[in-house]
Amino acid sequence: MVLGLLLGCLKPAPPVPGDGVTLNVATVMAPLTGAISAAPPKFEMGLVVPLSSRGAIPAFVTGPDELTLLARYPDSAQRLDALAQTQVGAVLLVETAPSFYSELNGQYRWTVGVRLSLAEGDDDPLYATFDVPVFLRYHHEREAEAVVAATPVVSRRAAQLVDTWMAGRE
């Protein structure tokens, strides 16, 4: 009986396919004011392990050409379509929109709006939209630092989206 109770508390492992699937990942910052830019490298590095543990092989494709392409479109769906036409295989578009919220108890509160979009071929894309509140200690820390501070939450949600996508592929 005790063994049954212990086994009931175990979480099931996320689905991991045997073969590694290349996932083209574009990470961008689109602040409410300002032009679109590449997300900080620390943010991208924070996505590698969660995506890799799901059986996806992340290939980051946020170069100058892709940024120019994505800057032409104001909408996430249009950006995803444009990016998918230039890449072979599945595409994960991670859009972040950091914005200053307030000063609270000597810290600076930022909200990072996130939109995850994942598509492969002609399949219907998967989306996840959420906000991540972060606190920064210093006044000189801005958008890039806010996005980096949001990395743990964003990487966890991106991994969940990849789990859903992988389950639909089987």
Side-chain angles (χ1 to χ4, degrees):
M1 180 163 163
V2 173
L3 182 60
L5 290 174
L6 291 175
L7 292 176
C9 296
L10 295 176
K11 291 183 180 179
V16 178
D19 59 342
V21 177
T22 300
L23 183 61
N24 298 299
V25 182
T27 58
V28 296
M29 279 192 334
L32 300 176
T33 58
I36 192 170
S37 62
K42 277 185 167 181
F43 179 76
E44 287 185 347
M45 298 315 327
L47 294 172
V48 171
V49 171
L51 295 179
S52 298
S53 69
R54 288 348 198 235
I57 302 168
F60 292 95
V61 294
T62 315
D65 294 337
E66 287 81 13
L67 286 175
T68 303
L69 174 71
L70 295 175
R72 293 182 197 156
Y73 302 100
D75 182 62
S76 295
Q78 293 172 334
R79 289 177 180 167
L80 183 64
D81 287 341
L83 193 61
Q85 290 175 9
T86 64
Q87 303 297 322
V88 176
V91 175
L92 173 63
L93 175 60
V94 182
E95 298 169 287
T96 58
S99 62
F100 178 72
Y101 186 77
S102 68
E103 183 180 356
L104 183 64
N105 293 331
Q107 293 187 345
Y108 300 90
R109 180 168 185 235
W110 287 73
T111 300
V112 180
V114 180
R115 171 91 178 201
L116 304 173
S117 310
L118 196 154
E120 181 180 30
D122 293 334
D123 293 342
D124 289 336
L126 299 173
Y127 295 103
T129 305
F130 54 96
D131 291 328
V132 181
V134 297
F135 287 93
L136 302 178
R137 294 187 69 186
Y138 303 107
H139 178 66
H140 68 275
E141 295 177 313
R142 298 287 180 201
E143 288 87 355
E145 289 85 2
V147 169
V148 169
T151 302
V153 175
V154 176
S155 64
R156 188 169 49 249
R157 295 290 297 268
Q160 290 171 349
L161 190 68
V162 169
D163 285 345
T164 302
W165 171 67
M166 293 277 194
R169 295 182 82 225
E170 296 173 356

